[in-house]
Amino acid sequence: MIPLREQEYIRQLFSQELEGKVKIDYFTQRPSAIYLPGREECGTCEDTRKILEELAALSEKIQLTVHELAEARDEARKLKIDKVPGIVMRGPVNRPLRFFGMPGGNEFSNFIETIAAASKTKLEVGEETAKALKKLKDKVSITVYVTPTCPHCPGVVRAAYRLALASAHVEAAAVEIGEFPRLAQQLGVRAVPMTVINDRAVVSGAVDEAGLLQAARKAVEGDMSPATVQAGATTVAAPQAAASGLILPR
């Protein structure tokens, strides 16, 4: 799946950048030989498994565990995995970073960087960001909806993951929404990146780490309306009114 030249580059990067061990739990689903009502077949599960196995083979500091979702419901519930492909990365600080879908396209290099970031025993953030994170008293859930061709998505995912690694109050996940059409329809996703905070506030378009943290604080403090709010220079709106970013094909 990963070209040999890229594998060698990643191997060298891992040898230089990985500090501690990174545990990757991968939840997949076998193809069904019979039709089961309500079950969606996973078209990218096998390719995602191959990518993860190739990455794990590039460093002894990466520990990959593959779970069949139907046989690991308790573990999936514990790690907050509710769809496949579902990936959870945990490093020395044991703060889960979740990715749903296959990390391909623009998200692939971002995924490699995330493994390296997760391996750190301490993540350095700016002074203002550190102060703002300390003010968080309640849990914040940040979910970024992306597509592999979106040029702005990796930056938002990276910002969400950095906040999650820097604070135990923040949980972060990325969802390759093109692989989950029913979810896209349910949420009314028309553009990416689209970021949902605490399942109620939505940031449409690109936003940096400071803007994302500002929006998260507003959501926790109850200052965010589910309809419309400003977060820095980015409009925060309901999913049906996504104002910027990459338009998804209908």
Side-chain angles (χ1 to χ4, degrees), residues 29-30 33 39 49 66 74 98 100 104 109-110 116 119 126 132 137 147 152 190 204 212 214 226 235 238 245:
Q29 176 180 279
R30 299 189 195 95
R39 172 183 164 122
R49 181 185 63 79
V66 179
D74 290 342
R98 299 174 182 85
F100 295 93
S109 60
N110 204 38
S119 76
K137 302 302 180 185
T147 62
H152 306 293
R190 290 292 177 266
S204 298
L212 191 58
Q214 180 186 15
T235 299

Side-chain angles (χ1 to χ4, degrees), residues 118-231:
S119 76
K120 310 300 183 187
T121 55
K122 184 178 181 181
L123 180 70
E124 297 294 338
V125 294
E127 184 178 349
E128 293 302 316
T129 298
K131 288 181 180 178
L133 284 171
K134 287 181 180 179
K135 293 179 181 179
L136 290 176
K137 302 302 180 185
D138 299 313
K139 288 282 187 180
V140 178
S141 170
I142 301 175
T143 304
V144 187
Y145 295 92
V146 306
T147 62
T149 55
C150 168
H152 306 293
C153 290
V156 184
V157 173
R158 196 155 48 244
Y161 283 162
R162 280 179 58 82
L163 294 178
L165 288 173
S167 172
H169 289 291
V170 180
E171 293 185 347
V175 180
E176 203 287 81
I177 195 62
E179 294 186 32
F180 305 98
R182 289 186 183 179
L183 180 60
Q185 184 176 19
Q186 177 186 340
L187 294 175
V189 180
R190 290 292 177 266
V192 292
M194 187 181 92
T195 306
V196 178
I197 301 173
N198 283 4
D199 295 326
R200 64 181 299 271
V202 179
V203 181
S204 298
V207 60
D208 60 15
E209 190 175 298
L212 191 58
L213 180 54
Q214 180 186 15
R217 286 187 61 194
K218 287 184 177 181
V220 169
E221 294 165 4
D223 293 335
M224 266 182 135
S225 138
T228 318
V229 137
Q230 290 293 325

